[in-house]
Amino acid sequence: MSELAATIAGLMGRAKTDLAELVAIPSVADPRQYPPEECRRAAQWVADAFTEAGLHDVHLAETPDGSHAVIGHRPPPPGAPTVLLYCHYDVQPPLDDDAWTTPPFALTERDGRWYGRGTADCKGNIVMHLTALRALGDDIPVGLKFVAEGSEEQGTGGLESYVAQHPEQFLADALLVCDTGNAEVGTGTATITLRGLVTVVVTVGTLAGEIHSGMFGGPAPDALAALIQLLSTLRDPATGATRVEGLDCEGTWEGVDYDEERFRADAGVLDGVGLTGTGTVADRLWARPAVTVLGVDCPPVVGSAAAVPPTARARVSLRIPPGTDPAAARAALTRHLTGAAPWGVRVSVEDESAGAPFRAATDGPAYAALGRAVEEVYGKPLAFLGQGGSIPLCNVLAGTYPRAEIVLMGVEEPKCLIHAPNESVDPSEIEHMAHVEALFLRAYAASGSRGR
């Protein structure tokens, strides 16, 4: 074991204490669910910890959505590049408390994993940063910029707007966006693509009002049945693959594959239920559009009357791969929904939100340094994967700093169950990814890159 690896191993007890303290703070950035003071308390914890770890002028900055970003820096040695370290301290709500085996806001060790809301997404990445910086001590060979976002899980855009207003605060040669993770435990991975997102609400109208199904049902058009038939056209009837007229739905993925059986286990697919679509799992996840019906407004089963529904609506999400323009995807989805309406029913489509996909350039010195660090820690080459989720900040950073390299990495992996009950992290991933980060900072400094 190298001296650096031994130092990091010796810091893991402190890492566990750090994570326990952070997880105990219910920093859900939704005042309807948790007091805003909890996010402020988490932000101050982060500020104090990174001040102690050697950053300068660490402070809380209010962003346009009212959340507080934690911002700090450390000047570079002469001629050295600067690296931005990103993370976020806000977390998803616990969702169903009864579904948790242990309390969501108490770090609990079980079967070698640490459980609790935020252990992986993204407080585990905060602890990864801290552990790497503590291991390096005063021997940090690059300049550092640091930002911890306070409303990432709410998607309200506070930090994106703040970056646009204060670009000088985040200027760096390489940007480590640590809110993703490895393809599996023990495989060092960089996420190089993020799917974009288009969300619409489609409403179907057929009648002036509810009418008795016994007296009028049959010839009277049922709005809910029309909506069901309309939504069914978004998928191939044989395979379930997404089919939106005007969009390329046959892309292929060239990075690391995603084993089908492991995907079934990770996603909790029930025995006997087939996966939808064709091609590899990675093709379907990271290289092709994917439609999901997120919700439907219609009469509930309990309390429903013997009446023909006059209106029904659905919230439809379309994830889009890199290379697909969100405006074009939204237009294609709208055309498809309006054009596929059965029986001449009235259809309206309301735009709700849109976000652009992202693809990282991987041929620069930051990725070369990361590859060397990963190979030393994990004993095998750096893997590349995509991610189904969207991180709008990445496109803001790419547009603001076009010459900087953006690296998405972290401690999350499929067994973490981020956003779900019983979220957890494998502590070995915190240890190993902190080692990767520390080695990366050394290797990147040695490259002498100044790509801003």
Side-chain angles (χ1 to χ4, degrees):
M1 180 180 292
S2 70
E3 181 179 350
L4 181 61
T7 299
I8 290 173
L11 288 168
M12 286 304 295
R14 189 173 185 184
K16 184 178 183 181
T17 299
D18 287 341
L19 193 55
E21 292 178 1
L22 269 174
V23 168
I25 304 173
S27 49
V28 177
D30 183 351
R32 300 169 300 180
Q33 301 184 66
Y34 288 86
E37 292 77 17
E38 298 294 352
C39 281
R40 182 69 180 244
R41 188 156 65 99
Q44 192 59 57
W45 190 101
V46 171
D48 293 343
F50 280 87
T51 297
E52 183 272 338
L55 297 190
H56 301 177
D57 188 30
V58 185
H59 62 280
L60 276 57
E62 185 171 354
T63 73
D65 69 355
S67 66
H68 288 87
V70 183
I71 297 173
H73 72 280
R74 182 184 176 101
T82 295
V83 176
L84 173 73
L85 306 180
Y86 167 89
C87 52
H88 66 84
Y89 63 81
D90 68 305
V91 297
Q92 283 281 325
L95 302 177
D96 183 2
D97 284 351
D98 293 336
W100 284 79
T101 304
T102 53
F105 294 114
L107 186 73
T108 306
E109 185 169 1
R110 187 171 74 252
D111 299 326
R113 296 182 69 92
W114 296 346
Y115 285 80
R117 177 55 90 219
T119 48
D121 182 23
C122 175
K123 292 175 177 178
N125 289 310
I126 294 174
V127 172
M128 177 193 76
H129 284 320
L130 280 173
T131 304
L133 295 183
R134 287 171 177 158
L136 292 172
D138 290 331
D139 186 22
I140 296 177
V142 297
L144 293 176
K145 301 282 183 75
F146 172 78
V147 59
E149 188 172 2
S151 59
E152 191 275 343
E153 299 292 6
Q154 297 303 311
T156 47
L159 185 59
E160 292 99 280
S161 298
Y162 188 88
V163 170
Q165 295 168 1
H166 306 277
E168 72 288 346
Q169 294 187 18
F170 307 97
L171 180 62
D173 302 289
L175 316 176
L176 297 192
V177 179
C178 293
D179 189 20
T180 62
N182 292 337
E184 60 185 348
V185 173
T187 299
T189 309
T191 297
I192 60 171
T193 68
L194 299 170
R195 288 198 288 193
L197 174 66
V198 171
T199 305
V200 302
V201 175
V202 56
T203 302
V204 170
T206 58
L207 302 167
E210 290 186 349
I211 53 177
H212 194 283
S213 61
M215 296 178 63
F216 298 101
D222 175 341
L224 180 54
L227 178 65
I228 291 169
Q229 185 160 324
L230 172 60
L231 296 175
S232 73
T233 68
L234 294 169
R235 290 184 175 273
D236 183 277
T239 67
T242 294
R243 291 289 181 264
V244 177
E245 294 180 16
L247 291 185
D248 177 10
C249 297
E250 301 297 334
T252 56
W253 176 254
E254 297 180 355
V256 66
D257 201 5
Y258 198 155
D259 177 74
E260 185 168 323
E261 290 306 312
R262 185 162 63 86
F263 174 83
R264 292 181 66 90
D266 293 342
V269 179
L270 300 179
D271 290 343
V273 177
L275 302 185
T276 51
T278 59
T280 69
V281 170
D283 291 340
R284 287 172 266 179
L285 275 178
W286 305 320
R288 299 177 181 178
V291 71
T292 303
V293 180
L294 300 177
V296 175
D297 283 343
C298 61
V301 171
V302 177
S304 58
V308 180
T311 63
R313 66 177 189 160
R315 186 169 179 242
V316 180
S317 162
L318 179 66
R319 298 282 179 171
I320 54 175
T324 302
D325 177 70
R330 181 168 53 194
L333 179 60
T334 299
R335 284 195 305 269
H336 183 110
L337 291 170
T338 54
W343 322 321
V345 301
R346 296 182 180 179
V347 176
S348 64
V349 180
E350 174 189 353
D351 296 337
E352 185 178 271
S353 61
F358 169 80
R359 182 187 296 275
T362 61
D363 56 353
Y367 275 88
L370 182 64
R372 292 193 293 273
V374 164
E375 186 126 22
E376 181 170 338
V377 173
Y378 286 104
K380 49 188 174 182
L382 173 67
F384 294 141
L385 55 69
Q387 182 167 295
S390 303
I391 305 177
L393 179 65
C394 285
N395 286 304
V396 174
L397 294 173
T400 307
Y401 315 109
R403 296 177 61 190
E405 292 184 74
I406 300 178
V407 178
L408 288 91
M409 55 181 263
V411 303
E412 303 163 23
E413 37 80 22
K415 291 182 179 179
C416 292
L417 297 180
I418 64 171
H419 292 203
N422 299 304
E423 178 182 350
S424 68
V425 70
D426 187 318
S428 71
E429 291 291 82
I430 295 178
E431 179 177 353
H432 293 148
M433 289 305 295
H435 191 189
V436 166
E437 182 173 330
L439 287 173
F440 165 80
L441 295 177
R442 286 181 174 176
Y444 190 57
S447 75
S449 173
R450 298 296 297 274
R452 287 176 283 178

